[in-house]
Amino acid sequence: MAYNGDSDHSPAQQSRMPTPIKLLVAGGFGVGKTTFVGSVSEIEPLSTEETITAASIGTDDLTGVGDKVTTTVALDFGRITLDPQHILYLFGTPGQDRFWFMWNELSDGAFGAVVLADTRRLEDCFPALDFFERRGTQFIVAVNEFDTGFHYEPEEVRAALDLKPNIPIVCCDARDPRSATLVLVTLTKHLMSAAASSVR
Amino acid sequence: MSSFEHPLLDDDAGPLVRPYTVSNGRTAPTAKLDLLSLVRSTGQLRPSQLEAEHAEALLLCREPISVAEVSAHLRLPAMVIKVLLSDLVDVGAIIAQAPDPAVDTTDQTVLEALLNGLQRRL
């Protein structure tokens, strides 16, 4: 832990900061977002409080200037060091509806999202699906299989969610690091094929 | 209620110093910092040359670390940490890099790094 007080960082070294890659984990309240983030993170799941200034609830997005309110939102996130030049940050979106405005800010610069679904309360993930579809953020759906939930086949879930055929649906156990990491692998492959097919 | 079963430990009782005392009441950082801004020590200043909270923050910056992580580790709101870190930027103790607002989220090189990094963990 010796701290080298001498300036031994060359300017070239200083300019080479890693690239942060942001992915989101969304879904209804209590669907397992925090668990998911915690099980893939290399560090203990962390939480921070961010102060947000947002148009007050009930003010439509399009009106532009509404009353502004300042709110503190607790955010869970995790980190995976992918290689010396890339760090993955995984942010759980606030589950409560009244924090919907936080999603815009979190979605800026996000590469993609996992929408977690619970088959006992599928409708809870509708707001997240709508949000990402409208915003054009690429996402996949991961069904977090709770022990007490009935097992549905992915295609049944697809029909129930009215999802396009190109959006992957996987089942997972958010508590299991390998299972949760596989969800992120599926998301990444989806992002790669979506990127390849979009002409930019 | 359950204070007999779970005595109030330091963490439960909350910080002894009010968060914004640390930032001298300031809520506006001088540097533009985002939760995902990465900061890293320049090695120009030693933690021992700084006040406690600044020193703690600097210690965390030996390797590139995000503002969100510094906030979580020091258990202080992100806004307070942004003020502390912008102080450290001002005195040259750390450098900060804001996330690229025009980041290309379809960059295949970055997506490949993501895929490889994830698959190594399986």
XYZ file of all heavy atoms in Angstrom, chain A residues 5 13 20-21 27 30 35 37-38 53-54 63-64 84 99 101 103-104 119 124 128 136 146 166 186 189:
187
model
N 4.709 9.141 -3.744
C 4.385 10.561 -3.833
C 5.034 11.222 -5.031
O 4.622 12.294 -5.464
N 0.630 8.171 -19.925
C -0.087 7.253 -19.061
C -1.355 7.912 -18.520
O -2.385 7.290 -18.408
C 0.812 6.895 -17.891
C 0.946 5.412 -17.652
C 1.839 5.149 -16.466
O 2.697 5.947 -16.119
N 1.622 4.035 -15.830
N -15.434 3.555 -19.591
C -16.524 2.940 -18.833
C -17.656 2.518 -19.771
O -17.996 3.240 -20.695
C -16.984 4.057 -17.887
C -16.583 5.328 -18.546
C -15.481 5.033 -19.529
N -18.165 1.338 -19.556
C -19.305 0.860 -20.346
C -20.488 0.734 -19.389
O -20.383 0.062 -18.366
C -19.014 -0.518 -20.972
C -17.754 -0.456 -21.842
C -20.219 -1.022 -21.775
C -17.280 -1.829 -22.314
N -36.694 -3.038 -14.375
C -37.782 -3.961 -14.041
C -38.562 -3.407 -12.868
O -38.183 -2.397 -12.290
N -38.889 -4.924 -6.638
C -38.807 -6.243 -6.016
C -38.582 -7.400 -6.973
O -38.726 -8.555 -6.601
N -30.271 -7.731 -6.473
C -29.658 -9.060 -6.380
C -28.834 -9.350 -7.622
O -27.702 -9.820 -7.556
C -30.759 -10.133 -6.226
O -31.599 -9.766 -5.144
C -30.169 -11.500 -5.977
N -27.529 -7.222 -9.823
C -26.337 -6.358 -9.867
C -25.281 -6.884 -8.902
O -24.100 -6.993 -9.238
C -26.709 -4.893 -9.526
C -25.455 -4.048 -9.319
C -27.573 -4.292 -10.619
N -25.727 -7.280 -7.719
C -24.789 -7.761 -6.711
C -24.119 -9.064 -7.098
O -22.942 -9.275 -6.805
N -32.376 16.920 -10.269
C -33.355 17.972 -10.461
C -34.235 17.542 -11.618
O -33.732 17.211 -12.680
C -32.670 19.303 -10.795
O -31.734 19.573 -9.761
C -33.681 20.415 -10.867
N -35.502 17.490 -11.381
C -36.393 16.983 -12.425
C -37.679 17.768 -12.443
O -38.055 18.398 -11.456
C -36.707 15.521 -12.171
N -43.737 19.604 -22.123
C -44.020 20.993 -21.791
C -42.730 21.771 -21.542
O -42.753 22.989 -21.492
C -44.900 21.094 -20.529
O -44.211 20.453 -19.452
C -46.242 20.438 -20.743
N -41.641 21.051 -21.420
C -40.353 21.734 -21.284
C -40.126 22.281 -19.911
O -39.554 21.618 -19.059
N -7.755 -4.018 -18.856
C -7.198 -2.752 -18.356
C -7.828 -1.506 -18.986
O -7.771 -0.421 -18.410
C -5.708 -2.855 -18.720
C -5.445 -4.319 -18.796
C -6.711 -4.941 -19.318
N -39.717 7.635 -9.521
C -38.352 7.968 -9.918
C -38.116 7.758 -11.418
O -36.999 7.621 -11.862
C -37.347 7.128 -9.127
C -37.338 7.437 -7.664
C -37.229 6.428 -6.733
C -37.425 8.751 -7.218
C -37.224 6.714 -5.371
C -37.426 9.052 -5.860
C -37.323 8.032 -4.935
N -38.074 9.678 -13.791
C -37.263 10.709 -14.456
C -35.773 10.393 -14.392
O -34.981 10.858 -15.181
C -37.533 12.085 -13.855
C -37.429 12.104 -12.354
C -36.193 12.142 -11.741
C -38.573 12.063 -11.567
C -36.097 12.142 -10.362
C -38.483 12.064 -10.186
C -37.242 12.098 -9.589
N -34.534 7.651 -15.048
C -34.190 6.735 -16.132
C -33.552 7.451 -17.313
O -32.672 6.920 -17.962
C -35.437 5.981 -16.612
C -35.948 5.002 -15.617
C -35.721 5.013 -14.270
C -36.735 3.853 -15.888
N -36.343 3.952 -13.696
C -36.975 3.220 -14.666
C -37.268 3.325 -17.061
C -37.727 2.069 -14.574
C -38.023 2.173 -16.960
C -38.243 1.560 -15.727
N -34.045 8.649 -17.617
C -33.478 9.406 -18.737
C -32.004 9.626 -18.524
O -31.185 9.399 -19.404
C -34.163 10.769 -18.844
C -35.379 10.709 -19.739
O -35.368 9.992 -20.731
N -36.409 11.459 -19.388
N -42.601 -13.699 -13.559
C -43.809 -14.212 -14.232
C -45.067 -14.074 -13.371
O -46.175 -14.148 -13.874
C -43.645 -15.696 -14.626
O -43.219 -16.431 -13.476
C -42.643 -15.859 -15.742
N -45.436 -5.664 -14.301
C -44.532 -4.719 -13.650
C -43.379 -4.276 -14.553
O -42.767 -3.244 -14.305
C -43.930 -5.339 -12.373
C -44.936 -5.403 -11.237
O -46.114 -5.071 -11.490
O -44.542 -5.779 -10.120
N -40.799 -0.422 -18.154
C -39.408 -0.483 -18.604
C -39.341 -0.800 -20.099
O -38.582 -0.177 -20.852
C -38.634 -1.533 -17.795
N -35.290 3.876 -27.880
C -34.385 3.220 -28.818
C -33.185 2.580 -28.152
O -32.181 2.314 -28.800
N -38.335 -17.217 -9.799
C -38.531 -17.354 -8.359
C -39.036 -18.762 -8.083
O -39.775 -19.334 -8.891
C -39.537 -16.320 -7.848
C -38.987 -14.932 -7.824
C -38.970 -14.150 -8.978
C -38.461 -14.392 -6.656
C -38.453 -12.866 -8.958
C -37.959 -13.117 -6.636
C -37.942 -12.346 -7.783
N -37.153 -10.405 -32.548
C -35.685 -10.268 -32.501
C -35.151 -9.966 -31.098
O -33.941 -9.920 -30.890
C -35.230 -9.183 -33.480
C -35.791 -7.820 -33.118
O -36.936 -7.709 -32.681
N -34.989 -6.785 -33.265
N -25.679 -12.676 -23.204
C -26.764 -12.660 -24.197
C -27.073 -11.233 -24.641
O -27.252 -10.958 -25.833
C -28.047 -13.305 -23.606
O -27.728 -14.607 -23.137
C -29.155 -13.371 -24.640
N -24.275 -10.017 -26.979
C -24.388 -10.597 -28.323
C -25.530 -9.929 -29.098
O -25.417 -9.675 -30.291
C -24.607 -12.112 -28.241
C -23.333 -12.844 -27.829
C -23.572 -14.337 -27.729
C -22.257 -15.067 -27.420
N -22.489 -16.459 -27.039
